[in-house]
Amino acid sequence: MTKSKIALPKIVSRDEWLASSKKLLAKEKEATRALDRLAAERRRQPMVEIDKEYFFDGENGKASLLDLFDGRRQLIVYHFMFDPSWEEGCDGCSMLVDSMGHLAHLHIRDTSLVLVSRAPQAKIKPFKERMGWNVPWFSSYGSDFNYDFEATTDTGEHHGLSIFLRDESRIFQTYNTKNRGVDRLNANFNYLDLTPLGRQEDWEDSPEGWPKTPRYEWWRHHDKYSDDPGDSESCCGSRDDL
């Protein structure tokens, strides 16, 4: 397939490139330190106790919110967009789960990670097998969990992340983020942000002539990509959360 000609970065000498790279590296280091300071502030945030009971349907039967910790102290819940009426999960959420690493690295730090959706297990299980994932995935169908944590609202399904901490059997929520707050968890976005062409989406500040396509429309479930992706009707496409 022949790629259309695009604008390219300016060509300079090796010395000029090294000088420019050092300036950028200094800014990147400061951004890293800023994220460290933000993480330190996050660790000092207060928490709220969750005294309402929630029950989920897992691959091995019914489970409580406490069960989702699987005996560990911390729990990360990714709110995966999968409406009960849909036949497959959200393509954007799927790309994020594709980039999740081996959970052993979280488990050794006393932390569990699970997915939660409103779709029933009858739809979750075959989709999970199709995608080849092993992340624990629970259905909140029939409970208030999605609504209480704003993963489902009057406007539909929403992706996001909720963090919980337990003290024996007491459960506390410590953090929540959604929309662009979840971007840094998607390895694909982070890799693309390091490249000269970036994510190639219409919202990015890129030089004149850089390739750009409408936000949300380029991604697919990983088994649906082709050389000519055509139109997309992503479940994320109606959202303007930049």
Side-chain angles (χ1 to χ4, degrees):
M1 179 180 178
T2 302
K3 300 289 186 181
S4 58
K5 192 171 181 61
I6 61 171
L8 297 173
K10 179 183 177 181
I11 301 175
V12 297
S13 69
R14 181 73 178 178
D15 287 343
E16 289 178 287
W17 180 83
L18 286 172
S20 178
S21 295
K22 286 181 180 178
K23 289 181 180 179
L24 181 62
L25 179 60
K27 294 179 179 179
E28 288 181 336
K29 286 184 175 181
E30 178 51 36
T32 298
R33 296 187 187 103
L35 287 174
D36 289 342
R37 292 191 292 270
L38 189 60
E41 183 177 348
R42 189 182 297 115
R43 289 192 292 272
R44 289 164 172 79
Q45 287 291 298
M47 59 187 183
V48 60
E49 186 164 8
I50 306 300
D51 51 15
K52 184 175 181 178
E53 282 194 308
Y54 296 100
F55 290 96
F56 308 85
D57 187 16
E59 293 184 6
N60 298 316
K62 295 296 180 183
S64 66
L65 182 57
L66 186 63
D67 291 330
L68 270 55
F69 283 79
D70 198 20
R72 301 182 182 91
R73 177 165 292 183
Q74 300 186 125
L75 172 66
I76 302 170
V77 172
Y78 179 69
H79 301 284
F80 191 112
M81 295 168 59
F82 197 163
D83 185 276
S85 66
W86 300 352
E87 294 306 314
E88 56 187 7
C90 168
D91 46 12
C93 292
S94 296
M95 180 166 61
L96 187 146
V97 177
D98 279 338
S99 69
M100 287 180 176
H102 199 293
L103 298 186
H105 304 295
L106 293 176
H107 293 171
I108 198 64
R109 294 283 84 184
D110 212 9
T111 302
S112 291
L113 169 64
V114 303
L115 313 177
V116 173
S117 302
R118 275 204 312 134
Q121 280 293 339
K123 290 188 174 182
I124 288 176
K125 186 175 180 180
F127 182 69
K128 179 182 177 182
E129 291 175 352
R130 169 187 150 194
M131 293 290 100
W133 299 331
N134 58 12
V135 182
W137 197 346
F138 294 86
S139 170
S140 62
Y141 187 74
S143 85
D144 295 332
F145 184 80
N146 269 50
Y147 298 96
D148 290 350
F149 292 92
E150 299 182 334
T152 302
T153 68
D154 292 340
T155 61
E157 301 299 301
H158 304 271
H159 71 285
L161 196 81
S162 293
I163 308 295
F164 300 94
L165 178 72
R166 75 176 181 90
D167 181 17
E168 300 297 339
S169 61
R170 297 176 70 189
I171 299 174
F172 304 87
Q173 183 178 15
T174 64
Y175 181 71
N176 174 264
T177 191
K178 54 187 176 181
N179 300 334
R180 290 295 306 280
V182 184
D183 265 20
R184 62 196 298 260
L185 305 177
N186 192 321
N188 300 289
F189 288 163
N190 286 283
Y191 282 124
L192 289 172
D193 286 343
L194 299 176
T195 68
L197 300 184
R199 302 184 198 184
Q200 304 165 53
E201 295 183 344
D202 56 8
W203 63 272
E204 288 180 291
D205 180 4
S206 298
E208 186 70 27
W210 256 232
K212 289 187 177 183
T213 59
R215 67 194 71 172
Y216 310 120
E217 292 189 5
W218 61 271
W219 57 52
R220 302 286 186 275
H221 295 111
H222 61 239
D223 57 357
K224 288 187 175 181
Y225 282 109
S226 67
D227 289 338
D228 183 15
D231 294 331
S232 171
E233 295 184 357
S234 171
C235 53
C236 303
S238 62
R239 247 180 284 290
D240 185 13
D241 45 40
L242 297 169

